[in-house]
Amino acid sequence: MKTRPAGIGNANADWMGSLPSKLSAMPLKHIAVPGSHDSFTYWVDVHAPVGPDQKAYVKYLATMFSVLAKKVMVKWSMTQNLTFKEQLDAGIRYFDLRVSSKPGESGNEIYFIHGLFGHKVSDGLLEINSFLSRHRKEVVFLDFNHYYAMGAEHHVYLINMLQEVFGSKLCKDSAVEGITLDYLWQTKKQVIVFYHHPSAQGIPVMWPGNKIPAPWANTTEPNKLTQFLETTLKERAKQGSFHVSQAILTPRPNIVAKGLLWGLRNYLVEKNLPVIMSWVKAQKPGVEGVNIITSDFVELTDFANIVIKLNNLLISEQDCKPR
């Protein structure tokens, strides 16, 4: 099953390269950057086994009802409808990535996962690299934050793959404060990889997960979500890192049961979008403001555009400062 729109254009394909010099000289941690949650779930394989990230009762149901149960799972596993290229063209620059090996499969192949298995990671990375080679001033954050059914050999395979695919585009781990677009353009770096696993320790181009905290509200209620986002933003200054505001609602088993045939997009996301997007529109980047903001189904609103335009507040703020 593969459902997605034909595409939403590439108006933001070069938005970072188009920022005024005042912003390209600012630490990237102070710039508003649109991201996607569970970024590579636009296609999932209903014929593969249920992923090892699922609870035992879900695996049992999928075994009992096979493809039928998996088709219901698709509705709740897919959080994006756009391919990587379409997300990049739309302006998305942060990708939330969860990966797994397929238990029982020989070799070290790694797949994207969210309940069900998606595409091979290698295919996704090549797609991103192809975009970056055509858009030399664009920079992406790749946040590998969940790993399933992966032994030491799988991590070695994935880390080597990241280095082989992106090569000299990879930015070395360093002080977050010094990472500006100007610095990245000057050094020809376009990829910042965060690898939340001890296997990457000591590898200079793998950044530790603690440099990109992404607090998770774990709620189905939009008002609780916005309160949580406000609270965690107030705490970010202490961390001196990049920061992800996850503007997402998380379905609970009873919600999945009620909206069994509707799915995440129809039952939970669409009806709550106005509240979430009102919060996003009211934000301001900068020292005590937002940095990366993620959303489900980034094509449902003008999400990327709205986040990118928040940076205009930084321009006007600088223009108003006394000289």
Side-chain angles (χ1 to χ4, degrees), residues 138-179:
E138 300 307 295
V139 175
V140 297
F141 299 83
L142 304 183
D143 191 359
F144 287 86
N145 51 59
H146 286 74
Y147 307 88
Y148 301 96
M150 286 176 61
E153 68 282 6
H154 295 106
H155 285 285
V156 168
Y157 175 80
L158 178 54
I159 292 167
N160 285 342
M161 183 200 304
L162 285 161
Q163 293 180 92
E164 284 167 20
V165 170
F166 295 116
S168 62
K169 291 187 181 83
L170 289 167
C171 177
K172 287 184 181 175
D173 176 21
S174 58
V176 173
E177 194 68 33
I179 303 296

Side-chain angles (χ1 to χ4, degrees), residues 49 66 69 104 110 112 120 162 193-194 274 307 312 318:
S66 190
I110 308 293
F112 294 108
K120 290 179 182 177
L162 285 161
V193 174
F194 299 88
V307 174
N312 292 338
Q318 289 223 333

Side-chain angles (χ1 to χ4, degrees), residues 23-246:
L23 300 196
S24 63
M26 272 189 189
L28 200 45
K29 69 175 187 174
H30 294 156
I31 303 293
V33 176
S36 59
H37 167 238
D38 277 321
S39 303
F40 214 138
T41 54
Y42 66 84
W43 180 86
V44 286
D45 186 355
V46 295
H47 298 291
V50 170
D53 58 332
Q54 287 301 293
K55 292 184 170 63
Y57 73 87
V58 176
K59 292 179 183 173
Y60 171 76
L61 286 172
T63 304
M64 293 298 292
F65 300 104
S66 190
V67 172
L68 174 63
K70 289 176 190 171
K71 284 184 176 175
V72 171
M73 284 183 70
V74 165
K75 292 178 180 290
W76 293 92
S77 294
M78 287 176 70
T79 60
Q80 304 301 336
N81 273 343
L82 302 182
T83 66
F84 262 147
K85 181 183 182 302
E86 288 170 331
Q87 290 183 49
L88 286 160
D89 281 341
I92 299 298
R93 294 292 177 269
Y94 165 90
F95 295 95
D96 165 35
L97 304 168
R98 293 126 198 265
V99 295
S100 177
S101 71
K102 271 187 191 170
E105 184 178 271
S106 59
N108 295 323
E109 198 61 70
I110 308 293
Y111 299 83
F112 294 108
I113 192 167
H114 188 224
L116 296 170
F117 286 97
H119 283 285
K120 290 179 182 177
V121 170
S122 55
D123 293 341
L125 299 184
L126 289 168
E127 194 174 348
I128 292 171
N129 190 55
S130 175
F131 173 89
L132 294 174
S133 294
R134 294 192 307 275
H135 303 271
R136 292 289 184 178
K137 285 193 161 185
E138 300 307 295
V139 175
V140 297
F141 299 83
L142 304 183
D143 191 359
F144 287 86
N145 51 59
H146 286 74
Y147 307 88
Y148 301 96
M150 286 176 61
E153 68 282 6
H154 295 106
H155 285 285
V156 168
Y157 175 80
L158 178 54
I159 292 167
N160 285 342
M161 183 200 304
L162 285 161
Q163 293 180 92
E164 284 167 20
V165 170
F166 295 116
S168 62
K169 291 187 181 83
L170 289 167
C171 177
K172 287 184 181 175
D173 176 21
S174 58
V176 173
E177 194 68 33
I179 303 296
T180 65
L181 284 171
D182 284 345
Y183 165 77
L184 294 168
W185 295 341
Q186 184 185 344
T187 55
K188 298 185 176 168
K189 305 302 179 191
Q190 292 181 272
V191 184
I192 304 177
V193 174
F194 299 88
Y195 206 91
H196 300 236
H197 194 274
S199 301
Q201 282 177 5
I203 299 171
V205 291
M206 298 289 117
W207 290 58
N210 62 11
K211 287 196 173 179
I212 193 157
W216 175 41
N218 192 15
T219 182
T220 56
E221 298 176 37
N223 291 328
K224 282 188 180 175
L225 170 64
T226 54
Q227 285 169 14
F228 177 84
L229 292 170
E230 288 293 329
T231 303
T232 51
L233 263 184
K234 285 172 187 161
E235 296 165 359
R236 82 163 281 219
K238 303 172 199 165
Q239 296 161 327
S241 57
F242 297 108
H243 183 86
V244 181
S245 297
Q246 296 198 64

